[in-house]
Amino acid sequence: MESKTLRPRRVLIIGAGFGGIACAKALSKNDKFTVTLVERTNHHLFQPLLYQVATSSLAAPDIACSVRQVFRDSNNVTVLMDEILELGTETKTAVGASGDSYPWDYLVLATGAKTSFFGHPEWEEHTLGLKSLADAQGIRRQVLSSLEKAERTTDPVERKRLMTVAIVGGGPTGVELSGAFVDLVHRSMKGEFRRIDSSDLRVILIEAADRLLTPYDEDQSAYAKERLETLGVEVWTERMVRDVGPAYLEFTDGAKLEASTIIWAAGIEANPLAGKLGVEPADRSGRITPERDLSVPGHPDVFIIGDLVRMNDMDDKPVPGVAPAAVQMGDHVAKVLKEELRLEKTRYEEKKHELRPGFRYFDKGLMAIIGKNAAVVKSGKLRLRGFLAWIAWLFVHILFLIGFRNKLVVLLGWGFAYIRNNPGVRVIVNPPADAPPQGNSR
Amino acid sequence: MESKTLRPRRVLIIGAGFGGIACAKALSKNDKFTVTLVERTNHHLFQPLLYQVATSSLAAPDIACSVRQVFRDSNNVTVLMDEILELGTETKTAVGASGDSYPWDYLVLATGAKTSFFGHPEWEEHTLGLKSLADAQGIRRQVLSSLEKAERTTDPVERKRLMTVAIVGGGPTGVELSGAFVDLVHRSMKGEFRRIDSSDLRVILIEAADRLLTPYDEDQSAYAKERLETLGVEVWTERMVRDVGPAYLEFTDGAKLEASTIIWAAGIEANPLAGKLGVEPADRSGRITPERDLSVPGHPDVFIIGDLVRMNDMDDKPVPGVAPAAVQMGDHVAKVLKEELRLEKTRYEEKKHELRPGFRYFDKGLMAIIGKNAAVVKSGKLRLRGFLAWIAWLFVHILFLIGFRNKLVVLLGWGFAYIRNNPGVRVIVNPPADAPPQGNSR
C-alpha cells in the first residue's frame, strides 16, 4: 500500500483560455498531480486575433487549436468537454451540464469574462458581442449579409440602415474592429457591387469617455482617433448609450442612430460561475479579489485566475485583464501547488495564503492595432505609434502564436491580404436567419 | 433612341456552382448581355474538397470564394444573394425569398442537386448530408463531439454507439469520407484520449451494390475496398437500408446497427426548383432531359445545366454529374446565346433548338481518393491506382483550384498535414445542440 501523501493531488481546472492552459501545462508530466481540464468548447482560442475572424481576414480554425492536441503527450492531464454549472466548495466537487461530477483537491477557476451590458441584459438580443468563434462568425455574417441586402433593396431608408455599422466601445476591440472593417469594405470590396458603393458603408465607433483607448497616453488616443478617421471611421466620443433596440441606438443626448449592425464591445463582466464561489464580488462586473497567492478568501484550495480577477499585485499595481496576466497567474498557481506539495505545509490551513508566495505581475505593456500599417504600443517608458508599432504588434502576435499549428497559415494569409489588399475569408458559412437554407443545404 | 435589337439581353443565372459560374464568366464583359447571377449563399463552393472540411483537413473558407469577388471586374454581371422560390416561364420572371422579382430574356437554371433519401424524407433528421459548408461543419462537429462524449461516459453501450460512424453510400463521397475519417481518428488523434482509445472508432461504409465506386472498373472497386480495409474501414457491400431512426440503421436482412453518426451519401436528386419548369422529370430523382442545345423542351429561352440534367450528349454518351460536365454545359449555353444574337435567328422560335449547336461532352475521366497516398483514376483507356493515381488527383485538384485565393493555403495545409500526419482544423465552432453555450459565448 502506498501512503496517503503519495496519492497524486487532483487539480480541476475550469476553462482552457490563456490562464487555464498555462496552469495545466505547468503541472503536466508531474506525477504528483492528476489534472482534469474542463472546457465547454473543444478548442483554445487566441482571442487577440478574434477581430480578424470577424472581419474576414482569418478563418476560424486559424486562431484556435484543439485543447486535446495541446496535452496529447501529458499523460497526467485529462481534457474533457463539458460546461460546468455548479461548484460545491464544501464538497469539493463541480457538476457539469452533462450531469457528470468533477471532484477536486484543488480547483482553478479560469472561465474568463463575458460581454457586459451594464445592467441591461435585454440589449443583448439587438447587439453582437465578440468573445467566441461563433460570435466572430456572427459579426462577419451580419455585416456581409447587410451589404448583400443593401445591394438588393430599393428603399433608400432601409439601404442607409443596412449600410451602417455601429461599434459601441472605444477600447482595443472597438478600435481594431472598426479599422479592419473600413479596410475590408471601403477598399477590398470596392467595385464589387453594382447598385451600391461599398465605400458608402458608415462605420461608427462610439465611446462614452472623451477619448479612445483610455489605458494609453492621451496623445496615443488622439493618434488612434486621427488615424481611424483618415481610414474612414466616424469616431464619436462622449456619447453615452441610453437605449438599444432592433437596429437602433439611442444616446443620452436624445440622438438616435439607425444601424443594422450593432457590435457591443463596451465592457465585460466575470463569467457567472465566479458567483458560485460564495464570495462577495469586488465590483459590479462580478470580478473577485483573491488573496495575494490567488486563492479565494476562505478557500485556500480554490484559485481564481485571468479575467475573473480584480486585484493589485504584490507591488500594489492593478493587474489588467490581458492574456499575459492570465498566463502569469496560471503559472503562479502551478508554482504554489508544487511548492506546497514539496513542503507539505498542510498544518497552517487557515493562514495558508500568507505562507505562500504572492502574485507579482510582470507588465510587458499594451498594444493595439489601428487598421493597416499602424498601431500604438505602451510598454514601461516606451511609446510607439505608426508603422514601427505595427511591426512590433505583428512580431509579438506571431511569437505568441507559436504552438499554434496555424502560425504559418496565418502569416501566409496576412501576407496575401497585405500584398493584394484583399482579405479572402469572406464566406458566410451558415445563412442568416432570414434566408432559410434551400433544399440542397442538407 | 437606340433600336430595340441593341438592348442587351437579360440573362438570369440561378446558382453559382461550377455550371452557373462558367456560364456567367463566358458572358461577362460582353455588352450584348446583362447577366444577373442569383445565389442563395455568398460563395462559390469547390465541392470536390468538401469532404476535407468534414474531416478537419481544411477550413471552410479554404474551399469557398466570394461570388462577388469573382465578377468584380465584370461590369455586366450583377451578383445577388437570394433564394429563388418561383419560376414563371410564361411571364419570364423568377421570384426570390426576399420578395424581389427577377425578369429574364434567357434563364439558365443551375441549382444543382441535393441529398436524396429515396422517398423517405423522414430519414433526413437522423442523418447528415454533405452538400454545403454548413453540412461539412455539421459532420465535423458530430464526429468530434461524439468522441468527446465517449471520453466522458461510463456506459459501455452508449460509448460503443458514440464510437460508431456509419456512412451510407459507397460512391466517391463515401469512399473519400471513410478513408479520411480513419486517418484522422485512428492515426492523428491517437493518444489524445485518456479513457478511450480513438482507434477503437468504427467507421463503417455501407453500399447496396456488390462493390464500391460502381462507375469504375471492377478491379478498381476491389482495390478501393482492400485499401480502405487496410486503413481500418469496415466495408459492407450488398447491404440495403430499410429504416433509419435516431442513432440506428436497419437493414433489409433484419440486422440493426447503432451509430451516433450516420452520414447519408447514398444518392442525390434535383433541386426542387427544376420542378417549377412545368416539364416532366426524366427520372425519379427529378432530373430533366433538355433538348440537345440544353434548352428546356417547349421553352427555347430557358436552359438547364449541371447536376439537374439527365441526358446523352451528341455522341449518345450519358453525361455524368461531375464538375467538368457542369462547366462545359455552362460554356455551351453561353456559346448558344452569343451565336443566337450574332445571327439573329429569332424567326424560327419553335425549332430553335434544332438550329442551335448540340452539347457534346468531353470526358476527362473520373478520379477518387482513398485515404493517404492512394486513389483510383479512370480516364479513357487509362487506369491508375495507388500512389501515382494519388499524385494525379493532387495535381488535378490543385490545377482546378486556380482562381481560388486559397490554393497556396490549401497546399500548405495539406503539406503540414501530410508531413506531421495531423490535420489541424479540429475546431467545433458552434457547440452541439446538447451543450448550450455558456454565458461568455455572447
Side-chain angles (χ1 to χ4, degrees):
Chain A
M1 289 282 287
E2 290 177 350
S3 85
K4 202 188 165 192
T5 53
L6 284 178
R7 178 180 69 81
R9 294 297 192 272
R10 295 166 304 179
V11 181
L12 176 64
I13 302 175
I14 306 176
F18 286 106
I21 290 270
C23 188
K25 268 193 176 163
L27 294 174
S28 77
K29 299 181 187 173
N30 183 326
D31 59 12
K32 292 199 179 71
F33 300 96
T34 58
V35 177
T36 303
L37 176 55
V38 182
E39 163 61 41
R40 70 192 170 84
T41 72
N42 78 333
H43 52 270
H44 168 61
L45 183 61
F46 192 75
Q47 280 211 5
L49 290 178
L50 203 48
Y51 81 96
Q52 294 215 357
V53 175
T55 55
S56 302
S57 288
L58 293 174
D62 292 343
I63 61 160
C65 64
S66 156
V67 180
R68 200 163 279 302
Q69 207 167 340
V70 172
F71 295 100
R72 181 191 194 126
D73 300 322
S74 308
N75 284 320
N76 69 326
V77 179
T78 301
V79 175
L80 296 171
M81 186 169 124
D82 200 354
E83 181 193 350
I84 299 297
L85 299 178
E86 295 296 334
L87 297 176
T89 45
E90 298 311 315
T91 56
K92 294 196 168 195
T93 302
V95 181
S98 67
D100 292 354
S101 291
Y102 302 91
W104 75 70
D105 294 315
Y106 294 106
L107 172 68
V108 182
L109 194 62
T111 47
K114 61 171 208 141
T115 304
S116 165
F117 294 89
F118 306 123
H120 292 278
E122 72 277 13
W123 293 356
E124 181 167 346
E125 69 170 301
H126 306 299
T127 60
L128 300 160
L130 184 61
K131 294 300 286 178
S132 69
L133 286 179
D135 286 350
Q137 292 194 338
I139 290 177
R140 187 200 293 172
R141 174 169 57 235
Q142 174 66 24
V143 172
L144 295 181
S145 302
S146 294
L147 284 166
E148 295 293 338
K149 283 183 213 156
E151 174 83 343
R152 269 195 341 244
T153 192
T154 48
D155 175 351
V157 176
E158 172 70 0
R159 183 171 285 174
K160 197 177 164 198
R161 186 165 42 229
L162 288 166
M163 297 284 284
T164 306
V165 175
I167 301 173
V168 184
T173 302
V175 167
E176 287 161 357
L177 271 179
S178 59
F181 266 127
V182 288
D183 204 56
L184 170 72
V185 178
H186 290 198
R187 271 190 285 283
S188 308
M189 295 180 84
K190 197 165 175 62
E192 289 187 12
F193 294 86
R194 300 288 170 260
R195 303 166 177 185
I196 59 169
D197 180 345
S198 67
S199 57
D200 289 342
L201 184 93
R202 291 176 76 191
V203 177
I204 304 168
L205 181 60
I206 296 153
E207 168 59 42
D210 62 353
R211 60 185 179 103
L212 302 175
L213 299 174
T214 45
Y216 291 76
D217 291 353
E218 283 195 21
D219 64 322
Q220 289 184 305
S221 297
Y223 172 76
K225 180 167 186 279
E226 180 210 306
R227 181 81 204 170
L228 285 177
E229 284 172 345
T230 307
L231 287 171
V233 178
E234 296 177 41
V235 180
W236 295 3
T237 50
E238 296 180 87
R239 297 301 283 270
M240 284 273 283
V241 172
R242 187 176 65 191
D243 195 21
V244 184
Y248 73 83
L249 285 170
E250 260 178 34
F251 299 95
T252 46
D253 61 8
K256 190 171 168 177
L257 174 68
E258 300 214 0
S260 72
T261 306
I262 303 173
I263 299 170
W264 194 263
I268 54 169
E269 61 188 37
N271 181 291
L273 208 53
K276 309 263 179 181
L277 288 173
V279 177
E280 206 53 38
D283 56 22
R284 287 206 306 176
S285 64
R287 290 183 300 171
I288 284 172
T289 301
E291 304 285 358
R292 52 201 278 287
D293 64 335
L294 300 176
S295 71
V296 170
H299 298 289
D301 300 336
V302 177
F303 296 85
I304 188 163
I305 64 177
D307 287 356
L308 294 174
V309 168
R310 181 196 174 112
M311 77 183 297
N312 287 359
D313 77 347
M314 295 298 288
D315 302 327
D316 207 34
K317 283 184 312 196
V319 181
V322 295
V327 169
Q328 291 174 33
M329 289 190 225
D331 285 338
H332 182 81
V333 169
K335 193 174 102 183
V336 166
L337 295 185
K338 284 192 231 174
E339 197 173 296
E340 185 141 303
L341 249 64
R342 193 170 53 83
L343 300 178
E344 305 223 10
K345 287 189 204 160
T346 45
R347 283 167 298 172
Y348 311 100
E349 193 67 26
E350 284 187 13
K351 294 198 170 177
K352 217 177 214 181
H353 61 267
E354 291 181 16
L355 298 169
R356 291 168 171 169
F359 175 64
R360 186 165 271 121
Y361 173 56
F362 176 64
D363 187 3
K364 292 174 185 164
L366 299 170
M367 41 180 43
I369 188 165
I370 315 161
K372 212 168 168 175
N373 296 342
V376 284
V377 172
K378 177 182 180 180
S379 178
K381 285 181 180 166
L382 179 72
R383 300 287 179 278
L384 293 176
R385 68 189 201 192
F387 188 70
L388 199 63
W390 184 75
I391 293 290
W393 182 94
L394 207 64
F395 182 73
V396 166
H397 283 80
I398 291 298
L399 270 189
F400 224 137
L401 273 175
I402 286 177
F404 275 67
R405 162 209 90 105
N406 300 300
K407 194 180 20 161
L408 249 159
V409 175
V410 168
L411 251 185
L412 197 79
W414 283 348
F416 270 129
Y418 187 84
I419 295 161
R420 302 177 46 192
N421 200 9
N422 201 349
V425 192
R426 283 163 33 198
V427 172
I428 306 173
V429 171
N430 295 296
D434 60 346
Q438 208 156 312
N440 62 7
S441 83
R442 186 51 272 149
Chain B
M1 288 283 289
E2 291 177 351
S3 85
K4 201 187 165 190
T5 52
L6 285 178
R7 178 179 68 82
R9 293 297 193 274
R10 294 165 304 178
V11 181
L12 176 64
I13 303 175
I14 306 175
F18 286 107
I21 289 270
C23 188
K25 269 193 175 163
L27 295 174
S28 77
K29 299 180 186 174
N30 183 326
D31 59 12
K32 294 200 178 71
F33 300 96
T34 58
V35 177
T36 304
L37 176 55
V38 182
E39 162 62 40
R40 69 191 171 84
T41 72
N42 77 334
H43 52 269
H44 168 61
L45 183 61
F46 192 76
Q47 281 211 5
L49 290 178
L50 204 47
Y51 81 96
Q52 294 215 358
V53 176
T55 55
S56 302
S57 287
L58 293 174
D62 291 344
I63 62 160
C65 64
S66 157
V67 181
R68 200 163 279 301
Q69 206 167 342
V70 172
F71 295 100
R72 179 191 195 124
D73 300 323
S74 308
N75 285 320
N76 69 327
V77 180
T78 301
V79 175
L80 296 172
M81 186 169 123
D82 199 354
E83 182 192 347
I84 299 296
L85 299 179
E86 295 296 335
L87 297 176
T89 45
E90 298 312 316
T91 56
K92 294 196 168 196
T93 303
V95 180
S98 67
D100 294 352
S101 291
Y102 302 91
W104 74 71
D105 295 316
Y106 294 106
L107 172 68
V108 183
L109 193 63
T111 47
K114 60 172 208 137
T115 304
S116 164
F117 294 90
F118 307 123
H120 292 277
E122 72 278 12
W123 293 356
E124 180 168 347
E125 68 170 302
H126 306 300
T127 60
L128 300 161
L130 185 62
K131 295 299 287 178
S132 69
L133 286 179
D135 286 350
Q137 292 195 338
I139 290 177
R140 187 200 293 173
R141 174 168 57 236
Q142 175 65 26
V143 173
L144 295 182
S145 303
S146 294
L147 284 167
E148 295 293 337
K149 284 183 211 157
E151 174 84 343
R152 269 194 344 244
T153 191
T154 48
D155 175 350
V157 176
E158 171 70 0
R159 181 171 287 173
K160 197 177 164 197
R161 185 163 45 228
L162 288 166
M163 297 283 284
T164 306
V165 175
I167 301 172
V168 184
T173 302
V175 167
E176 287 161 358
L177 270 179
S178 59
F181 266 128
V182 289
D183 204 56
L184 171 70
V185 178
H186 290 198
R187 270 189 286 282
S188 308
M189 296 181 84
K190 198 167 174 62
E192 290 187 11
F193 295 86
R194 300 289 171 259
R195 302 167 178 184
I196 59 169
D197 180 345
S198 67
S199 57
D200 289 343
L201 184 93
R202 291 175 75 189
V203 177
I204 304 167
L205 181 60
I206 298 154
E207 168 59 43
D210 62 354
R211 59 185 179 102
L212 302 175
L213 299 174
T214 46
Y216 291 77
D217 291 354
E218 284 195 22
D219 64 324
Q220 288 184 306
S221 298
Y223 172 76
K225 179 167 187 280
E226 180 209 305
R227 181 80 205 173
L228 285 177
E229 286 172 344
T230 308
L231 286 171
V233 177
E234 294 178 42
V235 179
W236 295 3
T237 50
E238 296 180 87
R239 296 301 282 271
M240 284 274 283
V241 172
R242 186 176 65 191
D243 195 21
V244 184
Y248 73 82
L249 285 170
E250 258 177 36
F251 299 96
T252 47
D253 61 7
K256 188 171 170 177
L257 174 67
E258 300 214 357
S260 71
T261 305
I262 303 173
I263 298 170
W264 194 264
I268 55 169
E269 62 189 35
N271 182 290
L273 208 53
K276 309 261 179 183
L277 288 173
V279 177
E280 206 53 40
D283 56 21
R284 288 206 306 177
S285 63
R287 289 183 300 170
I288 284 172
T289 301
E291 304 286 0
R292 51 201 278 289
D293 64 336
L294 301 176
S295 70
V296 171
H299 298 288
D301 300 336
V302 176
F303 296 86
I304 187 162
I305 63 176
D307 288 357
L308 295 173
V309 169
R310 183 197 173 111
M311 78 182 297
N312 287 358
D313 76 350
M314 295 296 288
D315 302 327
D316 207 35
K317 282 183 314 197
V319 181
V322 295
V327 169
Q328 291 174 34
M329 289 190 225
D331 285 339
H332 182 80
V333 170
K335 194 174 101 184
V336 166
L337 295 186
K338 284 191 231 175
E339 198 174 294
E340 185 140 302
L341 248 63
R342 193 170 54 83
L343 300 178
E344 305 224 11
K345 287 188 201 160
T346 43
R347 284 167 297 173
Y348 311 101
E349 192 69 24
E350 286 189 11
K351 295 198 168 175
K352 215 178 216 182
H353 61 267
E354 291 181 15
L355 298 169
R356 291 167 171 171
F359 175 65
R360 187 164 269 122
Y361 173 57
F362 176 64
D363 187 3
K364 294 175 184 163
L366 299 170
M367 42 179 42
I369 188 164
I370 315 160
K372 211 168 170 175
N373 296 341
V376 284
V377 172
K378 177 183 180 178
S379 177
K381 285 181 180 166
L382 179 72
R383 300 288 178 276
L384 293 176
R385 68 189 200 192
F387 188 71
L388 199 62
W390 184 75
I391 292 290
W393 181 95
L394 207 62
F395 182 73
V396 166
H397 283 79
I398 291 298
L399 269 189
F400 225 138
L401 273 176
I402 286 176
F404 274 67
R405 163 208 89 105
N406 300 299
K407 194 181 21 162
L408 249 159
V409 175
V410 169
L411 252 185
L412 196 80
W414 283 348
F416 269 130
Y418 187 83
I419 295 161
R420 302 176 45 192
N421 200 10
N422 201 350
V425 193
R426 282 162 35 200
V427 172
I428 306 172
V429 172
N430 295 296
D434 59 346
Q438 208 156 312
N440 61 8
S441 81
R442 179 60 261 156

